[in-house]
Amino acid sequence: MKWITRRRIQVNRTATCWLIRRFLDSEAVFLFVPAEDVAKTQVAVGATGFDAPGATYPHRDAQGRCSFAALVHERSSHDLALVEMARIVQAADFLEEVTTTLLREDSY
């Protein structure tokens, strides 16, 4: 199967490629195109788009999930390790959503 995403691979795209190849489609072929071409190219070549505007699995879906988290939720929600990885990838992809707690000496 063909999968398509935008160029300049970063955290979510790297993790999603790994997830696809390792757990969903061991013979996946990945295409990397400019972000603005993902939606039209996925249709033209019969690929599944991810982490781009207009892709099947966009950068952020309607539930606020990155493409890695959306794929895990849809296809591997029974795998607790992947669910935890999805949480980590989500946090890495959307740093503005990460909340931090400063550890005080008396908190550990």
Side-chain angles (χ1 to χ4, degrees), residues 74-91:
E74 180 182 294
R75 301 185 186 197
S76 299
S77 61
H78 61 280
D79 187 323
L80 298 181
L82 288 178
V83 169
E84 181 64 14
M85 287 186 70
R87 190 184 67 74
I88 293 166
V89 172
Q90 178 81 18

Side-chain angles (χ1 to χ4, degrees), residues 85-107:
M85 287 186 70
R87 190 184 67 74
I88 293 166
V89 172
Q90 178 81 18
D93 202 33
F94 300 119
L95 289 175
E96 69 278 3
E97 294 177 7
V98 175
T99 58
T100 58
T101 303
L102 295 174
L103 291 177
R104 297 184 323 254
E105 235 178 85
D106 61 346
S107 68

Side-chain angles (χ1 to χ4, degrees), residues 2 11 15 18 20 23 33 37 42 49 54-55 58-59 65 70 79 90 95-96 102 106-107:
K2 292 179 186 170
V11 172
W18 172 83
I20 291 165
F23 295 97
V33 300
D37 295 340
Q42 77 177 350
H59 178 65
R65 296 179 298 222
D79 187 323
Q90 178 81 18
L95 289 175
E96 69 278 3
L102 295 174
D106 61 346
S107 68

Side-chain angles (χ1 to χ4, degrees), residues 14 17-18 20 22 41 48 56 63 70-71 75 77 83 87:
T14 301
C17 288
W18 172 83
I20 291 165
R22 178 78 167 89
T41 306
T48 301
T56 304
Q63 290 75 38
L71 278 163
R75 301 185 186 197
S77 61
V83 169
R87 190 184 67 74

